Amino acid sequence: DAGVIQSPRHEVTEMGQEVTLRCKPISGHNSLFWYRQTMMRGLELLIYFNNNVPIDDSGMPEDRFSAKMPNASFSTLKIQPSEPRDSAVYFCASKRTSGGASGELFFGEGSRLTVL
Amino acid sequence: ELKVEQNPLFLSMQEGKNYTIYCNYSTTSDRLYWYRQDPGKSLESLFVLLSNGAVKQEGRLMASLDTKARLSTLHITAAVHDLSATYFCAVDRGTSGSRLTFGEGTQLTVNP
């Protein structure tokens, strides 16, 4: 089975540009999570969805960040406008929460964002 | 708010030695997970612990869960260089659709 698929794997952009990160969760998983990882702050949860509905976006740092999940197989995280402090690795993860699932979270390979 | 604390945050050990990483959490939960992350890589699931007293072993790693003490341990036996990585524990409240709360991570370096 394919795991969580993220794109792009690497993105270098200039300050002020719009950045869109994409994620395809594992088929059958009904919860999707966006995390950000930096050396200074570690692993931070930005937002998560359950059955395509945003449940908790309290980790989204500013209005410049937005996330959508239009269907069960696709999610985007958008930063507009981007700033150098947004440079980080952004992970998407998914899990199944129904049917006695273990709740184990599966991570994508991450999108490494550099904002110059 | 659920808090998850790992101890130690940095661990340097010699090959062949044993050591334990501790994970404490602040509120009731009976679901705990351990992940491994190699530099520049994603997080890989190591163990899923779903009940008090659960013990799982894979190779030189063994994880256990004591929900009464709100403590999980990851024990390393006869460490080898390949175990060098950052190890995270994560706790789930267990309700449907709930989030995992991660510890800060323990950066393990195994020296020859």
Side-chain angles (χ1 to χ4, degrees):
Chain A
D1 286 340
V4 177
I5 300 172
Q6 292 186 243
S7 65
R9 294 291 310 280
H10 301 275
E11 173 97 3
V12 180
T13 190
E14 292 189 344
M15 183 173 66
Q17 297 298 306
E18 177 179 296
V19 174
T20 299
L21 308 178
R22 299 172 177 80
C23 176
K24 177 179 168 53
I26 293 173
S27 177
H29 284 192
N30 58 328
S31 290
L32 182 141
F33 301 74
W34 283 101
Y35 285 89
R36 177 172 70 177
Q37 187 176 40
T38 60
M39 289 292 291
M40 291 296 293
R41 301 172 72 93
L43 199 60
E44 301 174 276
L45 176 65
L46 300 177
I47 185 171
Y48 78 97
F49 297 83
N50 196 40
N51 295 321
N52 311 340
V53 175
I55 302 299
D56 183 356
D57 65 354
S58 60
M60 296 284 262
E62 299 171 28
D63 291 345
R64 299 184 296 105
F65 285 70
S66 62
K68 294 182 180 179
M69 191 165 186
N71 57 61
S73 59
F74 185 66
S75 177
T76 59
L77 178 67
K78 186 176 292 188
I79 308 172
Q80 165 64 19
S82 59
E83 296 183 3
R85 59 190 167 129
D86 301 332
S87 298
V89 180
Y90 291 81
F91 287 104
C92 177
S94 70
K95 67 173 180 172
R96 187 163 60 92
T97 58
S98 57
S102 69
E104 186 180 4
L105 201 57
F106 293 84
F107 283 81
E109 292 296 312
S111 294
R112 182 175 295 274
L113 173 64
T114 303
V115 183
L116 303 175
Chain B
E1 181 187 349
L2 174 59
K3 293 190 188 306
V4 181
E5 294 183 345
Q6 290 182 232
N7 176 30
L9 298 183
F10 298 92
L11 175 56
S12 180
M13 56 191 298
Q14 286 190 313
E15 280 191 329
K17 299 294 187 183
N18 304 333
Y19 208 83
T20 299
I21 299 170
Y22 298 89
C23 174
N24 290 92
Y25 54 97
S26 61
T27 63
T28 302
S29 174
D30 59 1
R31 290 175 173 236
L32 191 137
Y33 309 82
W34 284 95
Y35 289 84
R36 168 181 171 145
Q37 186 179 34
D38 291 298
K41 303 292 187 183
S42 183
L43 281 79
E44 171 193 356
S45 179
L46 288 176
F47 298 110
V48 178
L49 304 169
L50 298 180
S51 61
N52 186 41
V55 177
K56 294 279 184 75
Q57 183 162 5
E58 180 74 32
R60 301 174 187 274
L61 300 178
M62 184 173 71
S64 65
L65 177 61
D66 181 343
T67 58
K68 291 183 170 54
R70 297 177 186 169
L71 171 69
S72 178
T73 60
L74 180 66
H75 187 72
I76 303 154
T77 301
V80 294
H81 180 68
D82 285 352
L83 290 180
S84 297
T86 299
Y87 294 85
F88 292 91
C89 64
V91 178
D92 184 350
R93 286 203 182 93
T95 57
S96 176
S98 66
R99 51 178 278 185
L100 293 190
T101 300
F102 281 81
E104 310 98 313
T106 297
Q107 187 175 317
L108 171 66
T109 303
V110 181
N111 302 304

